[in-house]
Amino acid sequence: MKLDLSTPTPLAYFAALVQADERLPLLEAAASLAQDEYPGLDVQQVLADTDRLMVRLKRRVAPGASSMDRLQTLNQFFFGDLGFAGNVNDYYNPDNSYLHVVLNTRRGIPISLAVLWLELAQGLTLQAEGVSFPGHFLVQVKLGDGRVVVDPFTGTSLSREELLERIEAFQPKGVSAMGGEVPLALYLQPAGARRILSRMLHNLQEIHRTQKDWARFVAVQDRLVTLLPRAWEEYRDRGLALAELGERERARADLRLYLREATDAADRALMADRLAELEGAS
């Protein structure tokens, strides 16, 4: 039997990383998202660069340090000494989602900063989690019966009152909170690796959609349908983008799949019409 020693495509590499939720390597999978834009990227070098930061960080932690002391050391190292922060001047630049760029510039968006922060936090054996919060991504560390919630964009800890204000700003009109109070704990549920990757990809998706950069949009959709194979709306969106690129056969296949599987979708009639247009095109 002949072994296949060829280098996998970036998409095949990503598919192998996200195949199962158990032990899904978040840092490696997140770093690999940049391979579509930077084909020569060495993902293993990104992991090695992060490991070097971990070695530096651990030297600063005293033996037997409490969880709070370790958290304070991490925040001082990451936000203070290294200067990681949000890219307020160029927020919608796709590079803010690419970890190798963020490691180099020390600027990113909340979720890319969070992925790096979480890797370091877990290296200090902190009970750290990502939080898919309204507005933008947060991180939290459980300390005894409580928790510390950190905004990775600014490096600041957020009080209960500040968290409630952020939730209320995103509450749709007419939604009444349980018992007259916003159920904060519902918004602080941990986000698993697959959900974090999905949110990162959706950030890129929105940037490319806004710019009508359909080729890059399709590359993102290829990853989304790999990550979330039963998210039928992602096939729909890829199909529509493929149609914009003139790839009618692939576009028709995606829209047919969407119509077959998304039986309760509100836009079925609209998508059926779009498919009919594509099937009637030469």
Side-chain angles (χ1 to χ4, degrees), residues 242-260:
L242 286 166
E244 293 289 340
L245 292 171
E247 296 190 39
R248 294 189 179 91
E249 184 174 347
R250 290 183 63 199
R252 289 193 290 261
D254 274 347
L255 292 181
R256 288 190 196 108
L257 176 64
Y258 176 69
L259 290 170
R260 183 174 71 247

Side-chain angles (χ1 to χ4, degrees), residues 200-262:
M200 293 182 77
L201 286 166
H202 280 114
N203 287 337
L204 289 167
Q205 177 198 66
E206 193 55 37
I207 291 170
H208 299 324
R209 191 202 308 271
T210 300
Q211 297 176 347
K212 299 188 186 317
D213 189 340
W214 302 121
R216 286 185 170 90
F217 184 94
V218 166
V220 170
Q221 293 307 115
D222 287 343
R223 289 178 180 267
L224 276 168
V225 300
T226 299
L227 182 71
L228 307 170
R230 296 186 63 81
W232 309 120
E233 68 277 7
E234 305 301 351
Y235 295 90
R236 174 201 64 197
D237 290 351
R238 184 174 67 177
L240 294 173
L242 286 166
E244 293 289 340
L245 292 171
E247 296 190 39
R248 294 189 179 91
E249 184 174 347
R250 290 183 63 199
R252 289 193 290 261
D254 274 347
L255 292 181
R256 288 190 196 108
L257 176 64
Y258 176 69
L259 290 170
R260 183 174 71 247
E261 300 292 345

Side-chain angles (χ1 to χ4, degrees), residues 74 117-118 121-122 125-130 139-142:
L74 167 59
W117 186 95
L118 285 167
Q122 289 161 5
T125 66
L126 290 168
Q127 295 185 54
E129 303 164 331
V139 291
Q140 65 181 357
V141 172
K142 292 182 178 178

Side-chain angles (χ1 to χ4, degrees), residues 64-267:
S66 68
S67 294
M68 179 58 80
D69 287 342
R70 280 177 279 148
L71 174 59
Q72 291 174 342
T73 300
L74 167 59
N75 285 340
Q76 175 58 42
F77 178 71
F78 190 79
F79 299 111
D81 300 343
L82 296 181
F84 280 99
N87 191 344
V88 296
N89 295 320
D90 197 10
Y91 189 88
Y92 295 101
N93 188 328
D95 276 348
N96 291 325
S97 293
Y98 300 145
L99 296 191
H100 74 290
V101 177
V102 177
L103 280 168
N104 181 52
T105 63
R106 307 289 167 85
R107 293 293 179 268
I109 54 175
I111 198 165
S112 58
L113 294 165
V115 169
L116 294 172
W117 186 95
L118 285 167
E119 183 72 12
L120 297 177
Q122 289 161 5
L124 295 184
T125 66
L126 290 168
Q127 295 185 54
E129 303 164 331
V131 179
S132 197
F133 205 75
H136 73 234
F137 203 82
L138 303 176
V139 291
Q140 65 181 357
V141 172
K142 292 182 178 178
L143 299 172
D145 294 331
R147 72 182 95 203
V148 175
V149 181
V150 177
D151 184 343
F153 198 68
T154 62
T156 57
S157 298
L158 300 174
S159 68
R160 175 182 175 82
E161 291 70 26
E162 289 170 322
L163 291 168
L164 291 174
E165 286 176 6
R166 292 190 180 200
I167 293 172
E168 288 167 359
F170 283 88
Q171 285 287 328
K173 293 181 180 179
V175 175
S176 59
M178 297 179 184
E181 182 177 326
V182 175
L184 181 57
L186 293 180
Y187 292 91
L188 294 176
Q189 296 297 311
R194 193 171 298 273
R195 187 173 182 185
I196 292 173
L197 292 167
S198 170
R199 188 155 172 168
M200 293 182 77
L201 286 166
H202 280 114
N203 287 337
L204 289 167
Q205 177 198 66
E206 193 55 37
I207 291 170
H208 299 324
R209 191 202 308 271
T210 300
Q211 297 176 347
K212 299 188 186 317
D213 189 340
W214 302 121
R216 286 185 170 90
F217 184 94
V218 166
V220 170
Q221 293 307 115
D222 287 343
R223 289 178 180 267
L224 276 168
V225 300
T226 299
L227 182 71
L228 307 170
R230 296 186 63 81
W232 309 120
E233 68 277 7
E234 305 301 351
Y235 295 90
R236 174 201 64 197
D237 290 351
R238 184 174 67 177
L240 294 173
L242 286 166
E244 293 289 340
L245 292 171
E247 296 190 39
R248 294 189 179 91
E249 184 174 347
R250 290 183 63 199
R252 289 193 290 261
D254 274 347
L255 292 181
R256 288 190 196 108
L257 176 64
Y258 176 69
L259 290 170
R260 183 174 71 247
E261 300 292 345
T263 55
D264 297 326
D267 62 354

